[in-house]
Amino acid sequence: MGAPGGSTAIQAASLPGAFRSVAVPAAAGFWRKLGAFAGPGYLVAVGYMDPGNWATGLAGGSAFGYTLLSVILLSNLMAMLLQSLSAKLGIVTGMDLAQACRARYGLVPRLCLWLLCELAIIACDLAEVIGTAVALKLLFGLPLVAGIVVTSLDVLLILLLQRRGFRQLEAFIVALLIVIALCFAVELVWAQPSLAAIGAGLVPSPEIVTNPAMLYVAIGILGATVMPHNLYLHSSIVQTRAFDRSDSGKREAIRLATIDSTMALGLALFVNAAILVLAAAAFHGAGKTQVAEISDAYALLAPALGAGVASTLFAVALLASGQNSTITGTLAGQIVMEGFLDLRLPHWLRRMITRGLAIVPAAAVAGMYGDGGVAKLLVLSQVVLSLQLPFAVVPLVRFTGDRALMGRFANGRLIRTGAILVTTVVILLNGVLITQMVLG
């Protein structure tokens, strides 16, 4: 183990091809430094608005109106705290979360955590496969099974972006995020949702816990919002910045990285809320309470909003979301495998393994059950993510509160209390969900 607040000598660099590849000017002012640090937060934010969020947001908005807006708000606030801890771990120790687990845990716990994280990445990739295939079907009429197979080709896009450098990859991600946000902003203008209803929906309701159907979707929203593999991702990609490694330099880096991720997750909050608000305004208010499938929402949006291009904008945003999530999911998979196992595979091979494990069940379900089965699989994938979340959150909270590892940067009493509270809420909600699933 390294010295307090320092990295360990036995660990290789996280994402070695991009490690400290983005210069942070030491003598520059605050805004220039923030500009140099801006980027990792937006790669992380991608995971908070992937196609899985669309399924849970549409299901929640159409079935329960604006009620689950409070779940989206609370989930994003929890995500902001957890991602700031993830960034701090990477900046202070020089290790990503997977490397820290390898350094601090024995072989059996390490392998269990790795397998659980791989399961989460496959579940996330499953959502991306389905979302991209549905978007291709809606925009170009490509059959669902064919679209699922076509998604295997996105490895070429990923390889091209990685060869152009990490800053260019970030720029591509941000450009697609802007496309998604603009599409939903236009849709909301057409939908004209009730501001009073939105305000009421931001206040938590006891019914969320007492209503089993609502709780199931709420847990799906939590799983789609607080993404376990994003905690591994963020702790790695903040290390692409070449910042001053002194204590004052680390303190400044933590502050800039936290601002970056908080602003980016604010954008994710807007998109997630927009999906649910759009479904509530366009469908729930009109009595269409069973719109849980993306293809149904696409077909109903244009007549509901009175704008023919509404459905097209919806599908374009979905395609951008799927492609963005594919890129960050690949990075997370690489980080997890290298961090836990110290096993390095070519990017294309790592991507094809993960995508293959997602394509097989998605294509099988699409072939046997069509759009309806795919929609249920999409929501289920988000619940799987939520069930895996404690196994990423607990080590993160433990490590960042460990003074022997973090030195003077260990979590203070307020942050530690907040982090423990978030962890407790996540575990309790998952416990309630499992109990209800067992009891039917």
Side-chain angles (χ1 to χ4, degrees):
M1 212 67 58
S7 101
T8 172
I10 63 170
Q11 297 285 1
S14 186
L15 283 182
F19 186 71
R20 298 188 190 176
S21 62
V22 179
V24 178
F30 170 79
W31 292 108
R32 275 193 65 195
K33 286 186 177 180
L34 181 60
F37 256 90
Y42 292 90
L43 266 69
V44 168
V46 164
Y48 293 88
M49 56 182 94
D50 75 339
N53 294 81
W54 293 55
T56 53
L58 288 172
S62 65
F64 310 114
Y66 301 91
T67 305
L68 294 179
L69 268 178
S70 59
V71 177
I72 291 177
L73 175 61
L74 291 173
S75 296
N76 273 268
L77 292 176
M78 291 163 59
M80 289 176 184
L81 173 61
L82 294 175
Q83 294 299 162
S84 70
L85 296 182
S86 175
K88 181 164 74 170
L89 177 70
I91 289 168
V92 172
T93 68
M95 295 185 288
D96 59 55
L97 180 56
Q99 290 175 328
C101 289
R102 189 169 99 234
R104 308 284 284 191
Y105 292 144
L107 178 62
V108 174
R110 207 163 64 221
L111 290 177
C112 290
L113 289 174
W114 169 67
L115 289 172
L116 287 168
C117 192
E118 290 287 3
L119 179 63
I121 291 171
I122 292 168
C124 182
D125 204 50
L126 182 62
E128 292 151 15
V129 165
I130 294 171
T132 302
V134 170
L136 292 172
K137 176 184 176 182
L138 299 178
L139 288 171
F140 308 111
L142 197 65
L144 201 56
V145 175
I148 288 171
V149 175
V150 166
T151 61
S152 63
L153 300 178
D154 62 20
V155 67
L156 300 176
L157 172 64
I158 295 167
L159 290 173
L160 175 64
L161 289 171
Q162 287 183 327
R163 287 176 181 172
R164 294 181 64 86
F166 206 80
R167 203 61 167 156
Q168 282 69 31
L169 185 147
E170 290 174 346
F172 180 81
I173 292 287
V174 171
L176 289 183
L177 290 180
I178 292 172
V179 169
I180 296 168
L182 288 177
C183 287
F184 276 109
V186 173
E187 301 266 22
L188 288 179
V189 170
W190 286 331
Q192 297 182 343
S194 166
L195 295 180
I198 291 175
L202 291 172
V203 179
S205 167
E207 187 186 4
I208 295 172
V209 177
T210 59
N211 183 333
M214 192 178 291
L215 178 65
Y216 183 78
V217 179
I219 294 294
I221 289 174
L222 176 65
T225 304
V226 185
M227 306 289 278
H229 66 274
N230 268 347
L231 302 177
Y232 294 93
L233 175 68
H234 201 184
S235 60
S236 173
I237 59 178
V238 291
Q239 298 180 58
T240 60
R241 270 46 186 178
F243 54 86
D244 176 17
R245 302 298 300 176
S246 68
D247 281 357
S248 61
K250 290 179 181 178
R251 190 173 295 108
E252 182 180 49
I254 292 169
R255 181 164 63 102
L256 293 172
T258 301
I259 293 172
D260 171 48
S261 63
T262 301
M263 291 175 61
L265 290 176
L267 177 61
L269 172 60
F270 166 76
V271 172
N272 288 334
I275 294 169
L276 188 140
V277 168
L278 184 63
F283 306 136
H284 184 79
K288 299 181 177 68
T289 60
Q290 301 299 319
V291 183
E293 299 179 20
I294 293 174
S295 56
D296 288 345
Y298 172 85
L300 294 170
L301 264 180
L305 301 183
V309 75
S311 294
T312 302
L313 285 177
F314 181 81
V316 168
L318 176 62
L319 184 60
S321 172
Q323 286 306 300
N324 254 354
S325 302
T326 285
I327 295 168
T328 57
T330 299
L331 284 175
Q334 178 185 345
I335 291 161
V336 165
M337 180 170 284
E338 292 178 357
F340 275 113
L341 306 181
D342 197 22
L343 176 61
R344 301 180 187 276
L345 297 178
H347 300 320
W348 66 268
L349 180 57
R350 165 71 216 193
R351 182 63 196 150
M352 292 306 293
I353 291 173
T354 304
R355 179 55 42 117
L357 292 172
I359 283 177
V360 172
V365 170
M368 289 187 291
Y369 302 106
D371 289 2
V374 165
K376 292 177 182 177
L377 190 61
L378 194 55
V379 175
L380 178 61
S381 72
Q382 303 311 297
V383 177
V384 170
L385 284 171
S386 185
L387 294 176
Q388 198 277 331
L389 187 57
F391 298 99
V393 173
V394 170
L396 174 67
V397 173
R398 181 183 177 188
F399 293 155
T400 54
D402 185 350
R403 193 163 294 276
L405 179 65
M406 301 291 290
R408 67 187 64 186
F409 296 100
N411 296 335
R413 181 176 300 175
L414 181 62
I415 297 298
R416 185 167 61 249
T417 302
I420 292 173
L421 179 61
V422 167
T423 305
T424 303
V425 169
V426 168
I427 293 174
L428 286 177
L429 285 177
N430 280 289
V432 172
L433 175 68
I434 293 171
T435 301
Q436 292 196 343
M437 290 177 70
V438 169
L439 296 178

